[in-house]
Amino acid sequence: MPELPEVEALAEHLRTHAIARPVARVDLASMTALKTFDPPLSALTGRLVTGAGRIGKFLDVDLDGLHLVVHLSRAGWMRWHEQASTTPPKPGKGPLELRVHLETVGGPGFDLTEAGTQKRLAAYVVTDPATIPQVASLGPDALTLSRAQFGEILAGASTRLKTLLADQRTIAGIGNAYSDEILHVAKLSPFAIAGKLDAEALDRLHAALIGVLTEAVDRAVGQDAALLKGEKRSGMRVHARTGLPCPVCGDTVREVSYAERSFQYCATCQTGGKPLADRRLSRLVK
């Protein structure tokens, strides 16, 4: 899933390549991807791209007062093209969800795509992104949090750290991958209770949050959009590295699976050498 660093890099890519270019046409390949009807998608045609930004994990393209806001979900992506097909796409064929032609049909622009069968990518055309309920419910952006604000968020929380960091209503921008990385750098267990951390642990966690995300943004911004996924994977210390050695201590990176997801951690660095219970595996071996 694209998280704060990747969405920031995609926004920067649009700021570099799309600003001041008019929309020639917008092709909708999946009716389920568009979540709004007023203003209509056709209202974007003829408008200049005047900005591109990020709201949590949402990509926000400003078209002279109208906003195309996109949540890429787990398998969505933005692909820049210099020359696209002029033939309107057939609904339900391939990963394409929406295509924006800039300057001329068949010219430069970008595609919104989604791999797999679970189509969750969401696009909205609005005059104000804050009118989108999912945007309005977001917590403060992760990179704007001061140490004091961070402490207030965690104070008294009975939630596990892994869950809290990835909850967009609490802190916006962090998902499964970067929460793994932040907790590894902070040397904290994913199962630790947020409200029970002492001041020193809170200091480490806040420093890790800012440091990991800033480092990832610096790596991602300026990369070709097609290379961002590989860049994200190459910078990971524990996430998606089950069975590989921890780059800090050399212990084997372990995994806990739950529902449709999993997270990775280093027992030596984060849990005092004690493996965390994997409920799904425990059920299988009973």
Side-chain angles (χ1 to χ4, degrees), residues 68-149:
L68 175 63
V69 180
V70 180
H71 191 278
L72 295 168
S73 193
R74 294 186 67 181
W77 199 245
M78 186 201 83
R79 302 181 185 277
W80 179 262
H81 57 72
E82 291 295 340
Q83 189 173 13
S85 172
T86 59
T87 304
K90 294 182 179 179
K93 299 293 184 180
L96 181 65
E97 300 284 291
L98 187 147
R99 171 171 289 157
V100 177
H101 301 260
L102 298 175
E103 293 186 345
T104 182
V105 176
F110 58 93
D111 293 349
L112 299 175
T113 64
E114 188 171 20
T117 58
Q118 293 184 337
K119 299 301 184 181
R120 297 175 179 173
L121 182 146
Y124 310 81
V125 178
V126 293
T127 56
D128 181 359
T131 61
I132 302 170
Q134 294 85 343
V135 172
S137 68
L138 292 175
D141 190 82
L143 279 178
T144 69
L145 284 174
S146 68
R147 168 61 178 81
Q149 290 171 318

Side-chain angles (χ1 to χ4, degrees), residues 4 6 24-26 32 41 43 84 91 95 110 119 191 242 246 262 281:
L4 184 157
E6 294 76 47
R25 192 177 79 193
V26 182
T32 60
L41 191 62
F110 58 93
K119 299 301 184 181
F191 284 176
T242 304
C246 168
S262 62
L281 181 59

Side-chain angles (χ1 to χ4, degrees), residues 132-177:
I132 302 170
Q134 294 85 343
V135 172
S137 68
L138 292 175
D141 190 82
L143 279 178
T144 69
L145 284 174
S146 68
R147 168 61 178 81
Q149 290 171 318
F150 189 61
E152 291 175 1
I153 289 172
L154 270 66
S158 59
T159 311
R160 289 173 171 175
L161 285 179
K162 173 68 181 178
T163 302
L164 183 142
L165 289 176
D167 182 355
Q168 301 306 295
R169 296 166 299 179
T170 303
I171 301 173
I174 305 170
N176 194 35

Side-chain angles (χ1 to χ4, degrees), residues 149-215:
Q149 290 171 318
F150 189 61
E152 291 175 1
I153 289 172
L154 270 66
S158 59
T159 311
R160 289 173 171 175
L161 285 179
K162 173 68 181 178
T163 302
L164 183 142
L165 289 176
D167 182 355
Q168 301 306 295
R169 296 166 299 179
T170 303
I171 301 173
I174 305 170
N176 194 35
Y178 287 107
S179 56
D180 283 355
E181 297 298 293
I182 290 164
L183 290 168
H184 179 255
V185 171
K187 298 186 181 299
L188 291 169
S189 169
F191 284 176
I193 302 302
K196 293 185 178 181
L197 297 186
D198 60 26
E200 191 273 335
L202 278 170
D203 288 342
R204 294 203 317 271
L205 184 56
H206 180 258
L209 182 151
I210 300 299
V212 166
L213 293 179
T214 300
E215 177 186 317

Side-chain angles (χ1 to χ4, degrees), residues 2-16 52-60 70 72 77-78 141 143-144 172-173 178 213-223 225 228:
E3 299 178 35
L4 184 157
E6 294 76 47
V7 178
E8 182 61 39
L10 293 176
E12 175 60 26
H13 191 89
L14 289 178
R15 290 192 291 267
T16 301
R54 177 187 61 77
I55 310 170
K57 293 191 286 185
F58 287 80
L59 179 66
D60 176 19
V70 180
L72 295 168
W77 199 245
M78 186 201 83
D141 190 82
L143 279 178
T144 69
Y178 287 107
L213 293 179
T214 300
E215 177 186 317
V217 169
D218 290 344
R219 287 198 315 268
V221 168
Q223 291 277 353
L228 278 173

Side-chain angles (χ1 to χ4, degrees), residues 13 23 35 39-40 75 96 106 108 117 121 123 133 153 170 222 234-235 240-241 244 263 279-280:
H13 191 89
V23 174
K35 306 302 182 184
L96 181 65
T117 58
L121 182 146
I153 289 172
T170 303
S234 69
R241 289 175 53 85
L244 297 175
F263 67 80
R279 296 180 190 174
R280 188 165 69 175

